[in-house]
Amino acid sequence: MSKVLGCRTVAELGSGPLTPAQIKKLNDHLRQGDIKIRLTHRMTGLLKFRVRSFTPTSAKTSKFDNKDKETNVAAYFKEAYKMDLRYPNLPCVSVGSSKKPEWYPVEVCRVLPDLGKQNLSAQHTTAILKEAAVQPNKRIDQILDNFRNKAHLHTDATCKGFGICPKLSGENNLP
């Protein structure tokens, strides 16, 4: 959050509420990638959430109905988790749907590393293309060879028990 807004620390942001332009900048940054978080305020912090957006208001002004009583996120966290928020002026992270929003203060969210969007090296890309660029008849031969010599399905006791042992005697005998 601080990096996107050009600050060194979150403490620099916590002195007052963010401007609408700053919140728009954060939400625009969310659209560029799939950001996932883990919650740290409770023991069930193993749940992962995808960040949908940031609330346009701060944790102390973002209100919702809690058991037929209107409360704000900061007051809810003080009551439910005995936790005084250090940055109640920052917006909340929204992880729920538009019909059932779930808001969490930014200080109880830990961003998970994004491991799925790393670029392949030139060597890896070349190797994948070589494997994929095979003539259909050669690909069938490779598949049959894997069944015959590597999978050992014709000698597998489980296959024999169910009566599903493949017959791979001829070349290219796939439909």
Side-chain angles (χ1 to χ4, degrees), residues 31-92:
R31 288 186 198 100
Q32 294 174 6
D34 194 28
I35 298 176
K36 292 188 172 64
I37 59 165
R38 181 166 283 155
L39 302 176
T40 62
H41 68 287
R42 55 186 179 191
M43 294 305 291
T44 58
L46 298 176
L47 296 175
K48 297 178 190 176
F49 295 97
R50 180 182 173 271
V51 178
R52 305 266 181 228
S53 65
F54 287 92
T55 58
T57 55
S58 67
K60 69 180 180 184
T61 58
S62 294
K63 298 186 184 230
F64 65 97
D65 287 329
N66 180 31
K67 300 176 186 169
D68 298 327
K69 179 182 148 192
E70 187 174 77
T71 187
N72 64 49
V73 174
Y76 175 78
F77 269 76
K78 184 171 179 75
E79 180 184 321
Y81 301 105
K82 312 289 186 254
M83 178 181 196
D84 285 320
L85 297 181
R86 292 185 302 178
Y87 308 110
N89 292 321
L90 293 179
C92 295

Side-chain angles (χ1 to χ4, degrees), residues 5-7 9 16 19 33 37 44 59 70 91 94 100 104 120-121 128 141 143 147-148 153 155-156 158:
L5 296 176
C7 299
T9 64
T19 65
I37 59 165
T44 58
E70 187 174 77
S94 178
K100 189 179 177 196
Y104 296 101
L120 294 175
S121 68
I128 289 171
D141 290 340
I143 292 169
F147 272 112
R148 277 190 209 101
L153 294 177
T155 60
D156 186 64
T158 305

Side-chain angles (χ1 to χ4, degrees), residues 90-116:
L90 293 179
C92 295
V93 173
S94 178
V95 297
S97 64
S98 57
K99 293 180 182 175
K100 189 179 177 196
E102 291 181 47
W103 298 333
Y104 296 101
V106 292
E107 62 196 75
V108 301
C109 302
R110 293 293 168 253
V111 177
L112 297 174
D114 183 17
L115 301 175

